[in-house]
Amino acid sequence: MDHLLIQGGVPLRGRVRVNGAKNACLPIIAAALLTGEPVIIEGVPDLLDVRTMIEVLESLGSAVDYEPDSGLLRVVSGDLLPAAPRADLVGRMRASFLVLGPLLALKKRVSLPLPGGCAIGTRPIDLHLKGLAAMGAEFSTVNGCVEGETAGLQGARIYLDFPSVGATENIMMAATLARGTTFLENAATEPEIVDLANCLNSMGAAVVGAGTTCIRIEGVAGLCGTRHQIIPDRIEAGTLLLAGVVTGGDVIVENALPDHLKPLRAKLAEAGVVVEEVGSTAMRAAANSRTAAVDLKTMPHPGFSTDLQPQFMTLMALSKGTGTVTETVFENRFHHVEGLTRMGAQIRVEGRQAIVRGQPFLTGAPLTASDLRGAAALLLAGLAAQGKTELNGMGHLWRGYSRLEERLVSLGARIEHISSETERAMQTGV
Ligand code: UD1
């Protein structure tokens, strides 16, 4: 099994560049289903999740060209064949469910297996279905698949019980081709929603208000091709900044939008970290002394992102004093606690809250990641710890970070990627 060997204790220093945002790419690739004309997307990171989404589109009959080195992706959806992508792909990644809205709008029927993804909670899809049902779709569940049908989607007034990112995206995409106007209230406001809306508008859609809690979508007769640049990944930027901070280093992340990082910046500053903007597209974070404990609560945007909670918990495990982490977005997002505890962290989980008593140091240990951001948290802990950490479960990390270990090495980290082949060669002495 591939794993990383991390020799901890080296303060990271230097500059590193952030890739395009995974969570913007995935819905925008799905949006390319909405037109027969070419959609060209720039800044697409080479991630397992992106590869899965490409396969989902190919299984629907789209022609996809992807150049991972340049980050250029070209999709031509032409005549979509089935209204059902390959089941194994949807099971592999929850975001494949983002083809639901586009397929319903275009083909008026769809069949999708219930989605998979990170092991961070039950992650239902009721809000997606309720919204689309209000627009005239009917759903049933048959043999673990959601079957949807509509005589033609109609604009509607939809209030989301919770500002779900995926539901906002699915409804927004479907509404671009519905008859009439859709008002989506209590919508998610994440920067990735704005990026999707900008892309849809450049395809001829009429989406107004993305980034606020009320989005108005005027249905149009058809969409055209476009060329769109993906926004920088704020979660990757935050992860890299935190990697610098937990190791007591000083890191500048380039291609990071300071506005998108406000919640993290506020918490880092509260913990005593020097955080500053470097021009309009870079951020610096430096830990000059041991950080102070803080209380953290994850919330939908513009609150503190749940996707940075595990990595921030690594910092808290090393901070001075006791702080709490309250996870309000997902019901089961503390898998990384087990790994951190193995390294000497003092963390007690009570329901959706973790009480973290900061320790002066962590020690390296053999660890296995079980979800994407948890993997990043353990990697950061390995970088900060005394001694060696062996981190398994790398597939989770590669779902959402492209060549992260190489970029950390460029900042001074001592990480070795042991691939299965290397390991076999070592064992046989080749
Ligand atoms: C997206 C992000 C993910 C991030 C999450 C929250 C992508 C590809 N993934 O996931 O990285 O962690 O937003 O910021 O963009 N829920 C329901 N019913 C629904 C839909 C959601 O109850 O129909 C609940 C979920 O179980 C969860 C919460 O709402 O507890 C947030 O989910 P949602 O915002 O939909 O997250 P995703 O779109 O899956």
Side-chain angles (χ1 to χ4, degrees), residues 275-340:
V275 219
E276 55 185 28
E277 297 180 18
V278 183
S280 55
T281 57
M283 290 281 312
R284 169 179 174 241
N288 296 332
S289 56
R290 194 168 162 212
T291 47
V294 294
D295 292 323
L296 181 81
K297 192 180 204 174
T298 65
M299 300 283 276
H301 192 76
F304 192 95
S305 170
T306 174
D307 286 350
L308 282 172
Q309 176 263 106
Q311 303 89 312
F312 202 91
M313 193 187 287
T314 298
L315 177 64
M316 287 177 62
L318 286 159
S319 296
K320 208 190 259 174
T322 298
T324 56
V325 176
T326 309
E327 174 58 60
T328 75
V329 179
F330 290 108
E331 76 267 29
N332 192 11
R333 201 170 202 176
F334 286 141
H335 293 300
H336 45 285
V337 169
E338 191 196 327
L340 291 174

Side-chain angles (χ1 to χ4, degrees), residues 22-23 26 94-95 123-128 162-167 169 190 306-307 329-331 333:
K22 167 179 94 73
N23 288 353
L26 299 176
R94 179 177 167 86
R123 304 184 80 170
I125 42 142
D126 55 317
L127 300 172
H128 301 239
F162 180 89
S164 153
V165 172
E169 292 168 341
E190 271 71 358
T306 174
D307 286 350
V329 179
F330 290 108
E331 76 267 29
R333 201 170 202 176

Side-chain angles (χ1 to χ4, degrees), residues 75-154:
V75 185
V76 184
S77 290
D79 258 345
L80 294 177
L81 306 169
R86 254 175 48 207
D88 59 310
L89 299 171
V90 184
R92 202 188 295 166
M93 181 184 73
R94 179 177 167 86
S96 349
F97 211 68
L98 291 167
V99 300
L100 175 73
L103 285 179
L104 254 187
L106 272 177
K107 302 208 63 149
K108 302 193 168 50
R109 53 177 290 272
V110 61
S111 170
L112 279 177
L114 286 162
C118 274
I120 56 177
T122 52
R123 304 184 80 170
I125 42 142
D126 55 317
L127 300 172
H128 301 239
L129 302 186
K130 266 205 278 188
L132 294 167
M135 297 171 72
E138 281 181 26
F139 293 100
S140 55
T141 309
V142 183
N143 298 330
C145 281
V146 177
E147 310 270 350
E149 233 179 318
T150 176
L153 295 175
Q154 299 273 359

Side-chain angles (χ1 to χ4, degrees), residues 29-74:
I29 297 173
L33 289 169
L34 289 163
T35 174
E37 295 182 15
V39 172
I40 296 162
I41 313 170
E42 295 173 17
V44 176
D46 189 10
L47 306 171
L48 284 184
D49 277 9
V50 164
R51 300 279 180 162
T52 304
M53 199 52 141
I54 290 173
E55 283 186 75
V56 169
L57 260 71
E58 284 173 339
S59 79
L60 289 165
S62 303
V64 187
D65 283 318
Y66 177 44
E67 297 168 13
D69 290 338
S70 64
L72 206 67
L73 187 132
R74 185 174 188 272

